[in-house]
Amino acid sequence: MAYMKKTSHYYLFVSLFIFSHLSFASWGLSDEQPIKISSQVQTIENDIRALPEQHFFSSNDYAQVKRLLSTTISQQKKHAEELKTALKNYRQNTDEAHWLTVEQNHQSLNSLNLSKQQLLKLTDQITRDQLTGFGPYGVTQFYSELTITQLNIEYYIHYQIRSFKNLLRDLRISPVPIISVIFKVLCVFFIFSWWLRNSDRLIKDFKKSKLEGTNKPNLLIRGIWYLTRAHKAIAWLLLITVTLRIISTLPSLQHLIFLEIFTWWVLGGSIAVSFILEFIYRNSKHNKKEIITLRLASIRHYVWGIIVAGVILQISSRTLGQGTIYAWINSLVYLFFVLLTVYTLKQWRTIVFNRINHIDPLPVSIQWAARNQETFLISIIATACAAAWLSWRAIQHSVISVLSQYAAFSHALAYLFRIEVAKQTEVSREQSNLVRIKGTAAFDYISPGSEDSVLIEDYAKEEMTALSRYLLTDSPAVCVLSGERGVGTTTLLKRLLNKVKNAHPLYLNCPYDGYSALLPEFAKQLGLSEGSTERDILQHLRNSDTCYLLAFDNTQRLVKPKVNGLADLMKLTNLLRRARKSHRVVLAIEKSSWRFIDRARGERLLFDLVTFMPKWDEKQIGQLLESRITTTQTAETNEKTPSISFDGLVLPRQWDEENLTEEERAKNGFYRILWDYSDGNPTVALRFFRLSLHRDKDTDAVLVRLFRAPHSDDLEAMPKPMLAVLRSIVQLEIASPEDLCECSRLSMAEVISTLRYFQSRGYIEWSDDKARISDHWFRHITNVLHRQHLLVK
């Protein structure tokens, strides 16, 4: 019964569509011979074709257009009377001769209507407004077009009666075409019914297989999911479209194809409403039910208003032409949207001004709008101004949010901030009693790293996952983890060791003295005596029932950038590979040394995985710096407050930070400067954060001011041999003059002179007769070597 009910409803719907369209038939689709229009009408058409393009019009051409427009209007009245008389005669005698007269007059009248439309577009604005406006001329034209419309309707009725008689005549001759059409329609309806019965199950299976368990499905999957939200409306739209195209294959019903236009407007509009509302609902930034409901209602009103207006204007354009009645309808549509906008603004007024009240400062125009939010009539304009300002502000925030995802944009902002803060810092140093906090005293305000420090877990998630696939399984693996000094490689190694469940974790920090000094420490960690040889260690690894996860930190200390400089590293890797058991190994190698290893023997080392530590992004650097600021507890309020202050540090206001206080904005901007200078290295950022602390002699408050970044043109202009010595020190971490001689191929005298030059400028520090790069100059030196293509950061 349900199936029969659906079938009856469907065929009733199709029948209504077929017979309701009889009033929209056109003489141009008749099977009869083309009808000739009157000579006066043909003359007007020829004169219009003879006119030049409108942008070449002269004053004589505009005068000619006015004359043609006047002639066309008078001919319209004349031919309307003739059509009225011809229709009256046809009603009395329905023979072919009288119908031919009716069609001649109707075709002539239609031609005049098209000519009038073209002339209205070509004439000047004043004449057009007179004929299509609400004045005397416009009213006269309205009644004239209304009379012509009535005559056209009567003509269409007679035409469709004749067309229906022709259809019945064709059926009596041969019913095969109609039977074929019915069969095709039934096939389409069968497919449609199958989809309605099985669509819910298929869509459920699709969601389960493609969407569940996926955080960010690709664009195609998301598009298909949105289509499933309106699958029934889409099915009806396709059903009606295909059915109309099948039915229109009949010679007497070919004009039904034009019903597709109205079908797509109505059903397509409802589908568009469903998609838009679903998209807005899922991407709404507000969680308040009141705001979401009002937003969806407003969008629904406007979208349906556009759909209804489009249908009305298209129907009036096709049936009445773009004349006076069309212009009046167009004006009413504009009025409708104006009233709809006024209604929408009244609905949003309370919410708009509630949001305005929480924003400071406000432009002068918005302050005026807030004062007049209750004033009669003016409140509408005030609400429109406030809503437009809020919308523009939201667009600005969205633009900044999208651009902030690109590091280049954040670096550009940081550069601008740095220039502004540098100006303020120079002025403040001249006008205040600030003195920089030096030495270990800075650690009292920005604490050093320790086992209890806050862990930034968002950093290096993908690298952690990649290493876990190899190191936390039961299969043997040798992996390499490479990163710049200070980015957190050691922390990541210890996190991996804490996660392992199926192996015994061992952490070894490679000594500066190379492989020979590493073996005793390795043996001690394995439970052997410190005097154990390489053979003893290998025998223990082969025979041990315990599976080890070995983490070798600072493995670059086994590498020297010289000929045969990989000997110690090769000894270690060969020892680990000969163990034959399911031991897993991870080697942490500094990035500058790994490039040397990769170019020297990268293809023959054959590691299971080589992954690189990423640079810290702006958000992660900010979280780290914020976590290291020490706090003090006040006795009066028993609240913890930061030991340092950003007061007096004024940075340019950003679109996405208008709701923040001055200190919060200064803090975020200063963190951005530190992130930019450190190039994503947290150790460098923390060092220069400590160099930014100053104490006010009068108030004893600790304030943040811009640090003095190292800057020296000597490094940029330095000869390549001297830069090669610097590169060797960076790669070796600490280097003796003898090591530098071997790595740079310079004489001892040249190396000692170069080191003395570096020491005098603070580039290096000495530790037990070995040189290392100064922490203060580390980032500046690595930047210069990177620009000179001598080092990869």
Side-chain angles (χ1 to χ4, degrees), residues 1 6 64 73 270 320 394 402 447 493 534 537 571 589 703:
M1 291 298 293
K6 287 184 180 179
Q64 175 68 4
I73 292 173
S270 65
L320 305 175
V402 172
S447 61
L493 287 180
E534 181 179 316
I537 295 174
K571 291 178 182 178
I589 304 176
L703 304 176

Side-chain angles (χ1 to χ4, degrees), residues 551-601:
F552 291 89
D553 198 5
N554 294 310
T555 316
Q556 72 276 356
R557 294 172 183 173
L558 305 181
V559 178
K560 295 185 183 300
K562 63 178 184 178
V563 178
N564 295 326
L566 299 181
D568 286 353
L569 179 63
M570 294 300 298
K571 291 178 182 178
L572 177 62
T573 55
N574 290 334
L575 171 65
L576 297 174
R577 285 196 177 92
R578 285 185 293 164
R580 297 179 185 174
K581 301 282 287 187
S582 296
H583 305 300
R584 278 92 73 188
V585 181
V586 55
L587 307 175
I589 304 176
E590 192 172 330
K591 201 170 185 178
S592 57
S593 295
W594 171 253
R595 294 302 180 187
F596 171 75
I597 298 170
D598 187 44
R599 291 174 181 175
R601 287 182 65 101

Side-chain angles (χ1 to χ4, degrees), residues 3 79 186 212 226 234 241 243 259 339 350 382 405 415 418 484 518-519 527 570 575 609 616-617 642 656 670 681 735:
Y3 179 80
H79 283 79
L186 286 174
E212 292 183 3
Y226 272 105
I234 295 174
T241 301
T243 303
L259 275 177
L339 296 177
T350 304
Q405 299 176 7
Y415 175 75
R418 192 172 171 184
E484 189 184 35
L518 175 63
L519 281 180
M570 294 300 298
L575 171 65
L609 174 69
W616 289 55
D617 61 31
D656 59 341
F670 194 76
N681 190 310

Side-chain angles (χ1 to χ4, degrees), residues 248-262:
S248 64
T249 57
L250 292 174
S252 300
L253 297 176
Q254 68 269 29
H255 49 270
L256 286 178
I257 195 66
F258 292 106
L259 275 177
E260 274 191 42
I261 298 172
F262 308 106

Side-chain angles (χ1 to χ4, degrees), residues 289-576:
K289 185 177 180 181
E290 176 188 3
I291 296 178
I292 294 176
T293 303
L294 187 55
R295 178 183 286 114
L296 295 179
S298 301
I299 293 173
R300 186 183 295 108
H301 292 158
Y302 273 98
V303 174
W304 275 114
I306 293 172
I307 292 170
V308 173
V311 172
I312 293 174
L313 290 175
Q314 192 162 11
I315 291 175
S316 59
S317 175
R318 286 181 172 271
T319 57
L320 305 175
Q322 297 184 8
T324 303
I325 298 179
Y326 179 84
W328 284 24
I329 294 174
N330 203 16
S331 300
L332 291 176
V333 169
Y334 278 117
L335 178 61
F336 165 76
F337 279 105
V338 170
L339 296 177
L340 179 60
T341 302
V342 172
Y343 170 77
T344 304
L345 289 173
K346 292 185 69 175
Q347 294 288 316
W348 279 93
R349 183 178 61 183
T350 304
I351 295 175
V352 167
F353 285 106
N354 283 341
R355 293 184 61 187
I356 290 291
N357 294 334
H358 292 87
I359 299 176
D360 185 63
L362 295 173
V364 177
S365 59
I366 306 304
Q367 294 177 10
W368 169 86
R371 290 193 302 268
N372 292 275
Q373 57 180 297
E374 300 294 340
T375 307
F376 180 69
L377 293 181
I378 299 180
S379 62
I380 302 298
I381 301 175
T383 306
C385 292
W389 182 75
L390 284 175
S391 300
W392 173 242
R393 185 170 174 269
I395 293 173
Q396 292 174 338
H397 288 187
S398 299
V399 171
I400 290 295
S401 177
V402 172
L403 292 178
S404 297
Q405 299 176 7
Y406 300 95
F409 179 77
S410 296
H411 282 299
L413 283 181
Y415 175 75
L416 297 176
F417 289 178
R418 192 172 171 184
I419 293 175
E420 180 65 25
V421 176
K423 296 177 182 178
Q424 298 174 18
T425 302
E426 291 300 327
V427 174
S428 64
R429 283 171 179 162
E430 295 175 0
Q431 298 177 353
S432 63
N433 298 321
L434 294 179
V435 57
R436 189 170 69 83
I437 298 176
K438 300 179 180 180
T440 58
F443 290 98
D444 296 335
Y445 304 97
I446 302 174
S447 61
S450 65
E451 296 292 336
D452 299 328
S453 298
V454 176
L455 185 65
I456 310 302
E457 296 185 357
D458 290 339
Y459 174 68
K461 269 189 174 181
E462 295 181 1
E463 289 71 21
M464 184 81 170
T465 303
L467 287 171
S468 298
R469 293 194 188 103
Y470 288 89
L471 302 176
L472 302 185
T473 62
D474 295 327
S475 301
V478 179
C479 301
V480 170
L481 177 63
S482 180
E484 189 184 35
R485 188 174 78 188
V487 296
T489 307
T490 301
T491 302
L492 185 60
L493 287 180
K494 292 183 177 180
R495 288 176 64 187
L496 276 169
L497 295 177
N498 290 329
K499 286 181 64 176
V500 66
K501 303 296 183 183
N502 56 352
H504 182 69
L506 291 181
Y507 172 82
L508 294 101
N509 189 15
C510 296
Y512 292 110
D513 294 332
Y515 183 71
S516 59
L518 175 63
L519 281 180
E521 180 64 24
F522 192 10
K524 183 179 179 181
Q525 290 277 10
L526 292 173
L528 304 176
S529 64
E530 293 187 7
S532 300
T533 63
E534 181 179 316
R535 183 181 181 86
D536 296 332
I537 295 174
L538 178 61
Q539 197 70 23
H540 175 80
L541 290 176
R542 286 181 174 179
N543 299 328
S544 175
D545 295 331
T546 303
C547 182
Y548 292 102
L549 173 56
L550 305 173
F552 291 89
D553 198 5
N554 294 310
T555 316
Q556 72 276 356
R557 294 172 183 173
L558 305 181
V559 178
K560 295 185 183 300
K562 63 178 184 178
V563 178
N564 295 326
L566 299 181
D568 286 353
L569 179 63
M570 294 300 298
K571 291 178 182 178
L572 177 62
T573 55
N574 290 334
L575 171 65
L576 297 174

Side-chain angles (χ1 to χ4, degrees), residues 22-30 32 35 83 86-87 90-91 98-107 109-110 148-162:
L22 296 177
S23 60
F24 295 98
S26 174
W27 55 266
L29 297 172
S30 175
E32 300 174 1
I35 307 300
L83 179 59
L87 287 171
Y90 178 75
R91 287 196 300 270
H98 285 85
W99 179 249
L100 181 61
T101 304
V102 169
E103 286 206 326
Q104 286 178 340
N105 285 280
H106 179 263
Q107 185 172 355
L109 197 58
N110 275 344
I148 295 172
T149 302
Q150 293 173 349
L151 294 174
N152 285 334
I153 292 174
E154 186 177 354
Y155 165 79
Y156 289 140
I157 292 173
H158 292 300
Y159 177 87
Q160 293 301 337
I161 291 174
R162 292 174 58 86

